[in-house]
Amino acid sequence: MRKFLIAMSALALAGPAVAQDKMQLKIGTEGAYPPFNYYDSDRNLIGFDVDIAKALCDKMNAECTFVAQDWDGIIPALRAGKFDAIIASMSITPERDEVVDFTNKYYNTPPAIAVPKDSDLTEATPEALADIIMGAQSSTTHANYAAAHFADTELRRYGTPEEYKLDLASGRIDAAIDDVVVLSDWLNSEDGACCKILTTLTLDPEINGAGAGIAVREGETELIGKFNDAIAAIRADGTYDEIQKKYFEFDVYGD
């Protein structure tokens, strides 16, 4: 009996040490970008980004918690230590790479333009889109793309995608630019019945970058290595494909 009690005491003492060995990570995401990251009816964060983050944390033997953060402030919040990594469909761009470090990509999809179903627009050239009003979420590669490629288009920037969707549906703007998956997801819903995809756009590497990656604070090379190993692992063991099939009918990883 005495030996049993001693053994149990040893396990009790070892328990906290084992728990402490598990890496603790806070993951920043937006929570307003369906189907990648958003809230369900019970205010739980869900979506492709969230499921990928959970799978990566599992591979890394990390205990992860999520922190919702407005998009405009998400990089400053990371740099200030509010969380340890951003998993929020953030494109790996040269501009962002100056202030944060990135993992390898975990998906790569092109931008697209949506217009009302009764729109007279038939193509997305600078001439065709001159003098119209186009909506985009601020501080995104999509807003930057519109500014660079459609200089004569009036660009209206919004804090969240929901805001430009409302304005496009109500006729206050003529078009909107965003990720093709985000727009398609909206257009397939009741709220998006107003509109259609005009066209997908050719990726601009200088603006759109090399796909969506995980951002961490500069110099966190060990953490980047762990995330990259985990990305490779979920790609290899079929976890990535299982998650992808929940949200998409095509491969979002890209070439």
Side-chain angles (χ1 to χ4, degrees), residues 88-240:
S89 293
M90 179 169 283
S91 297
I92 305 165
T93 66
E95 181 182 7
R96 290 172 180 153
D97 202 34
E98 292 180 2
V99 292
V100 296
D101 288 343
F102 281 101
T103 64
N104 298 333
K105 72 171 184 179
Y106 63 95
Y107 82 86
N108 192 16
T109 50
I113 292 175
V115 296
K117 285 182 175 177
D118 61 358
S119 174
D120 293 331
L121 293 170
T122 58
E123 57 183 355
T125 62
E127 296 77 22
L129 299 182
D131 302 323
I132 70 161
I133 303 173
M134 181 180 294
Q137 185 177 10
S138 62
S139 302
T140 63
T141 56
H142 307 299
N144 294 343
Y145 190 106
H149 288 270
F150 307 116
D152 294 327
T153 300
E154 181 182 336
L155 181 60
R156 193 167 293 176
R157 301 171 190 264
Y158 296 83
T160 68
E162 293 307 312
E163 294 172 82
Y164 77 63
K165 291 173 186 176
L166 287 172
D167 274 7
L168 184 59
S170 63
R172 287 189 287 269
I173 60 176
D174 304 298
I177 183 171
D178 209 327
D179 187 282
V180 66
V181 174
V182 172
L183 291 174
S184 297
D185 183 71
W186 173 54
L187 297 177
N188 289 330
S189 71
E190 185 177 343
D191 290 340
C194 62
C195 303
K196 64 182 181 181
I197 296 288
L198 175 63
T199 187
T200 55
L201 299 166
T202 302
L203 287 163
D204 183 330
E206 289 299 313
I207 296 173
N208 301 112
I214 300 165
V216 302
R217 285 182 289 277
E218 290 181 296
E220 296 277 358
T221 54
E222 183 178 352
L223 183 56
I224 285 177
K226 289 180 178 180
F227 271 124
N228 281 337
D229 288 345
I231 291 169
I234 66 170
R235 290 280 298 162
D237 70 7
T239 303
Y240 186 95

Side-chain angles (χ1 to χ4, degrees), residues 14-36:
V18 172
Q20 288 173 5
D21 288 340
K22 199 163 190 176
M23 182 167 48
Q24 306 290 313
L25 289 176
K26 290 183 179 179
I27 307 296
T29 197
E30 184 184 11
Y33 200 57
F36 292 105

Side-chain angles (χ1 to χ4, degrees), residues 28-31 39 67-75 77-78 82-83:
T29 197
E30 184 184 11
Y39 286 99
V67 179
Q69 171 68 50
D70 289 344
W71 182 255
D72 284 351
I74 203 165
I75 287 180
L78 171 69
K82 187 174 179 179
F83 33 79

